């Protein structure tokens, strides 16, 4: 019989040497600058994480963006916005382009800064001076002006919600030229200048009239414009009847507190809205945001509304594919994964952790792949029994409640090798900060060594490492059988599917970004 220890030693000697250490001090492989920029853009929210503060993240992103080709920076901004559904990072990359290549900025501005919030964030970052300039300049002003002029009067009025800078600040900066009496009056109303009341757009006149007389019908204005007013149950019920999907998701407890669900039929109306697949897709919701809504539901939320949130979760994750062959999905439940998924931010830190998102992604795989085995891990594999027939929400909560420990990314593969298991796909969902399993001498990582042993039995197998945190290291470098991908939306799974089916090779994720048309 062959000496297994000897062959394992030989395999380890052939591993590529590690070239860096991760934030936890473990040996690792450095991502190339383009992949690192994509990773930060898809996971970074410029807030403090378990291993790095916001300032360090910002400095890293700026450094990576300055060495990357401007075309790639532009493509990353588009990908982060439309595939990753990110907010701050795409705006930051646009600001970098404003300082480096305004022509390229003009190519992508409308595709990335596609909402008032995105435009405000872009202006705020640019004027802060972090990208090397503090003024907007003529080209960015022209782009912001074009965005503003593309809006209807009603859309411009709705865009006035928000500050730092406010829409009024933007108007004063870019000096848009009104082309109609209504737009002239609206600009004046927004910046506090005298205006002709009769020229105001109808929705603005309705809003002003309602502020003066609360007996009038509630105007169809953004939710935030009404919340500062003293409203009764009738008014809140009217707001809830016409609220957007996202407004509904975020304000269920507010509606309950103001008696909305006491109105006959309102629970059914809200439940139907929450489970509407078209509205879910249009809202570009992260599955973890549904977990927030579900876990934060107070006791006064009707059962049918709670159930609708679970239905919405099923809809939000229904494009998670079914993979051919035996699948193992391994969520990291270690201590560092308890960090908020969007980082620590004073006054508005999310209640959802990286661990909960990893659990949610694992539960979605199990739900769509009934033969899949879930193998949670920290310093060792943690036993977990899931029923694939249970909802994604239920299984995610079960996984998120598991005990934690240190980070040992090789633990699931070591266990599979101990069992001599067979399979075609292993998915690790982690922050990649493995340190317990450090190998001496810098010759490879234990994760890569264990993967080599697994592939010896399963030569067609693929390893996918889904990284939920902004960092620039991995435990196994990209190659034909290994994919590193960043992000926490369900779109990650379509990338995994293409890779698992053999439709891509090394650098697939970055290759996807490279194929974005400018």
């Amino acid at each position: 019989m062959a000496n297994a220890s000897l062959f394992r030693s030989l395999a380890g000697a052939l591993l590529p040497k590690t070239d860096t250490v991760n934030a936890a001090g473990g040996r690792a492989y450095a991502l190339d600058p383009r992949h690192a920029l994509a990773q930060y853009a898809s996971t970074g929210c410029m807030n403090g994480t378990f291993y790095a503060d916001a300032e360090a993240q910002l400095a890293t992103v700026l450094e990576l963006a300055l060495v990357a080709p401007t075309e790639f920076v532009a493509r990353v901004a588009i990908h982060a916005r439309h595939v990753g559904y990110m907010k701050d990072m795409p705006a930051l990359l646009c600001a970098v382009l404003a300082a480096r290549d305004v022509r390229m900025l003009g190519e992508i501005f409308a595709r990335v800064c596609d909402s008032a919030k995105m435009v405000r964030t872009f202006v705020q970052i640019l004027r802060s001076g972090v990208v090397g300039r503090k003024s907007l300049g003529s080209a960015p002003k022209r782009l912001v002006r074009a965005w503003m002029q593309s809006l209807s009067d009603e859309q411009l009025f709705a865009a006035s919600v928000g500050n730092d800078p406010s829409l009024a600040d933007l108007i004063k900066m870019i000096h848009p030229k009104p082309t109609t009496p209504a737009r002239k009056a609206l600009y004046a109303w927004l910046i506090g200048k005298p205006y002709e009341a009769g020229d105001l757009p109808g929705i603005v006149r309705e809003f002003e009239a309602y502020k003066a007389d609360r007996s009038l019908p509630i105007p169809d204005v953004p939710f935030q414009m009404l919340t500062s007013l003293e409203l009764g149950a009738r008014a809140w019920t009217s707001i809830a009847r016409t609220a957007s999907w996202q407004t509904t998701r975020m304000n269920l407890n507010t509606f309950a507190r103001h008696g909305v669900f006491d109105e006959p039929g309102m629970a059914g109306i809200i439940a139907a809205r929450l489970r509407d697949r078209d509205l879910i897709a249009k809202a570009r919701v992260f599955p973890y945001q549904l977990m927030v809504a579900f876990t934060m539901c107070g006791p006064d939320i009707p059962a049918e509304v709670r159930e609708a949130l679970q239905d919405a979760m099923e809809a939000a994750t229904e494009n998670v594919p079914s993979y051919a062959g035996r699948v193992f999905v391994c969520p990291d439940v270690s201590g560092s994964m308890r960090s908020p998924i969007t980082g620590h931010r004073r006054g508005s830190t999310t209640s959802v952790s990286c661990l909960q998102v990893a659990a949610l992604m694992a539960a979605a795989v199990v739900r769509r792949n009934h033969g899949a085995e879930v193998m949670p891990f920290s310093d060792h594999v943690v036993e977990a029994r899931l029923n694939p027939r249970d909802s994604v929400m239920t299984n995610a909560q079960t996984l998120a409640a598991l005990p934690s420990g240190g980070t040992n990314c090789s633990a699931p593969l070591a266990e599979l090798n101990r069992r001599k298991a067979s399979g075609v796909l292993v998915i690790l969902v982690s922050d990649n900060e493995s340190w317990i399993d450090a190998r001496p001498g810098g010759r490879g990582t234990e994760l890569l060594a264990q993967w080599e042993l697994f592939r010896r039995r399963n030569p067609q197998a693929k390893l996918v490492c889904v990284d939920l945190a902004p960092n620039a290291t991995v435990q196994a470098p990209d190659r034909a059988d290994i994919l590193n991908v960043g992000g926490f939306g369900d779109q990650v799974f379509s990338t995994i599917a293409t890779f698992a089916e053999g439709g891509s090779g090394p650098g697939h994720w970055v290759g996807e970004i490279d194929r974005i048309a400018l």
Side-chain angles (χ1 to χ4, degrees), residues 458-482:
N458 306 278
Q460 303 303 314
K462 301 287 182 72
L463 171 65
V464 178
C465 301
V466 181
D467 200 331
L468 302 182
N471 61 51
T473 68
V474 294
Q475 289 293 294
D478 277 0
R479 62 188 200 189
D481 58 316
I482 299 173

Side-chain angles (χ1 to χ4, degrees), residues 401-413:
L402 292 172
S404 68
T407 307
N408 179 358
C409 287
S410 65
L413 284 167

Side-chain angles (χ1 to χ4, degrees), residues 85 245 249 274-291 308-321 360 364 368 392-393 488-493:
Y85 298 167
W245 190 92
R249 174 188 69 83
L274 288 172
R275 62 167 62 96
D276 187 304
R277 278 176 161 74
D278 292 336
L279 294 178
I280 292 168
K282 184 179 179 181
R284 298 197 288 189
V285 61
F286 281 122
Y288 85 81
Q289 292 173 319
L290 287 162
M291 178 180 280
L309 285 170
Q310 297 206 57
D311 293 340
M313 178 69 83
E314 298 294 326
T317 57
E318 67 182 0
N319 67 338
V320 174
L360 179 57
R368 304 302 170 200
V392 172
M393 198 83 79
F488 35 79
D490 61 338
Q491 300 84 2
V492 167
F493 291 106

